[in-house]
Amino acid sequence: EVQLVESGGGLVKPGGSLRLSCAASGFTFSHAWMIWVRQAPGKGLEWVGRIKSKAEGGTTHYAAPVGGRFTISRDDSENTLYLQMNSLKAEDTAVYYCHYTTHAPAFVDYWGQGTLVTVSS
Amino acid sequence: DIVMTQSPDSLAVSLGERATINCKSSRSVLYSSDNKNYLSWYQQKPGQPPKLLIYWASTRESGVPDRFSGSGSGTDFTLTISSLQAEDVAVYYCHQYYTTLWTFGQGTKLEIK
């Protein structure tokens, strides 16, 4: 059974930093492209970024609002995905979801339950 | 980035009636090499993560009731619920995975009239 469990959320001051973790199990994590998606309170889903597998270069891509401030990384030995968030702003307040999806050979799609990040003084 | 625009923003439909949600992408998400539309639909209920309903624009995810269907190609897509049930009250999102940077529509809130 695939499980994605996020942790590390909490209250942080504007300009501060926070690192989120996503512990993965039930699939071959090292082969997976992993994604972060966020949702501000009462708002819609926003794609944050993605990291490819190390075999595919471990390339990362970020949405414009977080580029240069957020960094996605992975530890395949621990089956864990990370989101390092720096220079946090009030508008980064959101539930952050870890997302695993593959489109071939079969389409699979799993989400964690999310972790809440609140940026406030 | 591809911008996904859904309409309407909210929708109230009577139980047993048809619900239709539209999604328009700012450019085509049809990949010519495999003739697939890189578009999916999600359902999200309060306090829960999104749930995949439809992928490749029209393929229903396993376990999703057959009253849910997806259609469209290129830039214009539709999610249809043929006979609304009470448990279908949720927010629905379209999502493109065609480009390097994936994006979601703004969501459509579906309620019972």
Coordinates of all heavy atoms in Angstrom, one line a residue, chain B residues 8 15-16 20 28 30 35 40 42-44 50 64 66 70 74 77 87 105 107:
Chain B
P8 N -18.3 26.9 -14.6 CA -18.3 28.2 -13.8 C -17.4 28.0 -12.6 O -16.9 26.9 -12.4 CB -19.8 28.2 -13.4 CG -20.2 26.8 -13.3 CD -19.5 26.1 -14.4
L15 N -30.4 17.0 -7.2 CA -30.1 15.6 -7.1 C -30.7 14.9 -8.3 O -31.8 15.1 -8.7 CB -30.6 15.0 -5.8 CG -29.8 15.4 -4.6 CD1 -30.5 14.9 -3.3 CD2 -28.4 15.0 -4.6
G16 N -29.9 14.0 -8.9 CA -30.3 13.3 -10.1 C -30.2 14.0 -11.4 O -30.3 13.4 -12.5
T20 N -22.2 19.8 -15.3 CA -21.2 20.0 -16.4 C -20.2 21.1 -16.0 O -20.6 22.2 -15.7 CB -21.8 20.3 -17.7 OG1 -22.7 19.3 -18.1 CG2 -20.8 20.4 -18.8
S28 N -2.8 24.1 -26.4 CA -3.2 22.7 -26.5 C -2.4 21.8 -25.6 O -1.2 22.0 -25.4 CB -3.0 22.2 -28.0 OG -3.3 20.8 -28.1
L30 N -2.7 18.5 -26.2 CA -2.7 17.2 -27.0 C -1.3 17.0 -27.5 O -0.8 17.8 -28.3 CB -3.7 17.4 -28.1 CG -3.7 16.2 -29.1 CD1 -4.1 14.9 -28.4 CD2 -4.7 16.5 -30.3
N35 N -1.0 11.1 -29.3 CA -2.4 11.5 -29.5 C -3.1 11.4 -28.2 O -4.3 11.0 -28.1 CB -3.0 10.6 -30.5 CG -4.3 11.2 -31.1 OD1 -4.4 12.4 -31.3 ND2 -5.3 10.4 -31.3
S40 N -6.1 15.9 -16.6 CA -6.9 15.1 -15.6 C -7.9 15.9 -14.8 O -7.8 17.2 -14.9 CB -5.9 14.4 -14.7 OG -5.1 15.4 -14.0
Y42 N -9.7 16.2 -10.9 CA -9.7 15.8 -9.5 C -10.9 16.3 -8.8 O -11.5 17.3 -9.1 CB -8.5 16.4 -8.8 CG -7.2 15.8 -9.1 CD1 -6.4 16.3 -10.2 CD2 -6.7 14.7 -8.5 CE1 -5.2 15.7 -10.5 CE2 -5.4 14.1 -8.8 CZ -4.7 14.7 -9.8 OH -3.5 14.1 -10.1
Q43 N -11.3 15.5 -7.8 CA -12.4 15.9 -6.9 C -11.7 16.1 -5.5 O -10.9 15.3 -5.0 CB -13.4 14.7 -6.8 CG -14.5 14.9 -5.8 CD -15.3 13.6 -5.5 OE1 -14.7 12.7 -5.0 NE2 -16.5 13.6 -5.9
Q44 N -12.1 17.2 -4.8 CA -11.6 17.4 -3.5 C -12.8 17.8 -2.5 O -13.5 18.7 -2.8 CB -10.6 18.5 -3.4 CG -9.9 18.6 -2.1 CD -8.8 19.7 -2.0 OE1 -9.0 20.8 -2.7 NE2 -7.8 19.5 -1.2
P50 N -6.8 15.9 -2.8 CA -7.6 15.6 -4.0 C -7.6 14.1 -4.4 O -6.7 13.4 -4.0 CB -6.7 16.4 -5.1 CG -5.9 17.4 -4.3 CD -5.7 16.7 -3.0
V64 N -13.9 4.8 -9.7 CA -14.7 6.0 -9.9 C -16.1 5.6 -10.5 O -16.1 4.9 -11.6 CB -14.0 7.0 -10.7 CG1 -14.9 8.2 -11.0 CG2 -12.8 7.5 -10.0
D66 N -19.4 5.3 -12.8 CA -19.5 5.6 -14.2 C -20.4 6.8 -14.5 O -20.5 7.2 -15.7 CB -19.9 4.4 -15.0 CG -21.2 3.8 -14.6 OD1 -21.9 4.5 -13.8 OD2 -21.6 2.8 -15.1
G70 N -15.3 12.2 -18.7 CA -14.5 13.4 -19.2 C -14.5 13.3 -20.8 O -14.5 12.3 -21.4
G74 N -7.5 19.0 -27.1 CA -6.8 20.2 -27.5 C -6.8 21.2 -26.4 O -5.9 21.2 -25.5
F77 N -12.2 21.1 -22.6 CA -12.5 19.9 -21.9 C -13.7 20.0 -21.0 O -14.1 21.1 -20.6 CB -11.3 19.4 -21.1 CG -10.1 19.2 -21.9 CD1 -9.2 20.3 -22.1 CD2 -9.8 18.0 -22.5 CE1 -8.1 20.1 -22.9 CE2 -8.7 17.8 -23.3 CZ -7.8 18.9 -23.5
E87 N -23.2 12.7 -2.4 CA -21.7 12.5 -2.1 C -20.8 13.2 -3.2 O -19.6 13.2 -3.0 CB -21.4 11.1 -2.0 CG -21.6 10.2 -3.2 CD -22.9 9.5 -3.2 OE1 -23.9 10.1 -2.6 OE2 -23.0 8.4 -3.8
G105 N -6.5 24.2 -12.8 CA -7.6 25.2 -12.9 C -7.9 25.7 -11.5 O -7.4 25.2 -10.5
G107 N -10.6 25.7 -9.9 CA -11.6 25.0 -9.2 C -13.0 25.4 -9.4 O -13.3 26.6 -9.7

